[in-house]
Amino acid sequence: MARDSSATKARILAAAFDEFAEYGIAGARVDRIADTAGANKRMIYVYYGNKEGLFDQVLLQAVEQGAESVPFDAENLPRYAGAIFDHLTADPRLMRLVMWKRLERPEATALEAEAYARKAASLAAAQRDGLVDPTHDPADLLVLVLGLAQAWYTTTGGGGNPEEHRSGHRAAVVDAVARLVEVREPAPRNPAARNEGTPPRRGAGALGV
């Protein structure tokens, strides 16, 4: 009986993924999900409470599978961005699901907030260790990296589908992230003083900034 229940839930979640990715939360229909899954509509409410609860479970499953397939790597952000691009390429429904979530539920879930804080903390540690350029706040940097990795799926005209351009899109993402996080040499404090013999400003030096 437990095996039958697990199989039914798996079919429901698979059908719900397609439905929510296509229509969002408001446009999704539980009866269509039940028909596609070959399940009793009543059982969807038994298992998940309501349509919103079903969406929560679909999103949670997608997030968990994404975290497993693309583990965060603060020490190699270009590779991480490329892996996100590959993950979205393998299943374009993922980005549609995320976009519907952002549109209909813009607030971050507790799981999202926790995962984001954990990644930002890892980035801050990589910056302290000199592995990532410290110019940007780690939270801002994470937004930029994720935005670049997803850009071809969120920008009109970008698209990630044409096979002939996909490798170029991926290379552009990886290169852009590499340039963003590359540790830069600190700029000279006073180039004119160094190059033209101009005396330093009063207070400049070990204590002056």
Side-chain angles (χ1 to χ4, degrees):
M1 186 69 177
R3 182 180 302 173
D4 291 342
S5 174
S6 296
T8 300
K9 288 181 178 179
R11 292 198 309 274
I12 290 171
L13 290 175
F17 194 133
D18 286 336
E19 182 77 7
F20 287 126
E22 183 69 23
Y23 300 105
I25 303 172
R29 295 292 178 265
V30 174
D31 53 353
R32 279 199 302 254
I33 295 172
D35 288 344
T36 302
N40 188 308
K41 180 179 177 179
R42 183 180 68 84
M43 296 309 297
I44 293 179
Y45 293 101
V46 170
Y47 292 146
Y48 304 105
N50 52 34
K51 184 170 65 171
E52 288 72 21
L54 178 57
F55 179 83
D56 289 341
Q57 188 59 39
V58 168
L59 184 64
L60 175 62
Q61 185 180 69
V63 169
E64 289 177 342
Q65 290 175 348
E68 182 178 345
S69 300
V70 189
F72 184 65
D73 186 358
E75 298 183 5
N76 196 332
L77 290 170
R79 182 172 62 190
Y80 174 65
I84 291 177
F85 182 91
D86 293 340
H87 188 63
L88 296 176
T89 298
D91 191 348
R93 298 175 305 163
L94 290 165
M95 199 66 240
R96 293 201 298 272
L97 187 71
V98 169
M99 294 300 286
W100 279 117
K101 193 274 177 189
R102 290 175 182 171
L103 178 66
E104 298 184 277
R105 287 187 180 176
E107 69 282 356
T109 65
L111 179 64
E112 289 172 324
E114 179 185 350
Y116 195 85
R118 187 168 58 250
K119 291 174 183 177
S122 295
L123 265 179
Q127 288 176 319
R128 289 193 298 271
D129 292 341
L131 301 173
V132 173
D133 187 82
T135 301
H136 302 293
D137 181 87
D140 291 336
L141 187 59
L142 182 56
V143 169
L144 292 171
V145 171
L146 294 174
L148 286 167
Q150 300 171 7
W152 291 108
Y153 297 92
T154 58
T155 305
T156 302
N161 293 326
E163 292 285 348
E164 63 272 20
H165 300 304
R166 188 170 297 158
S167 62
H169 295 337
R170 187 187 193 282
V173 167
V174 172
D175 181 66
V177 173
R179 292 170 183 266
L180 177 66
V181 304
E182 182 181 10
V183 178
R184 307 164 203 174
E185 292 294 330
R189 292 296 180 91
N190 193 335
R194 184 189 63 183
N195 295 330
E196 299 177 13
T198 304
R201 294 182 294 110
R202 179 176 295 179
L207 300 180
V209 292

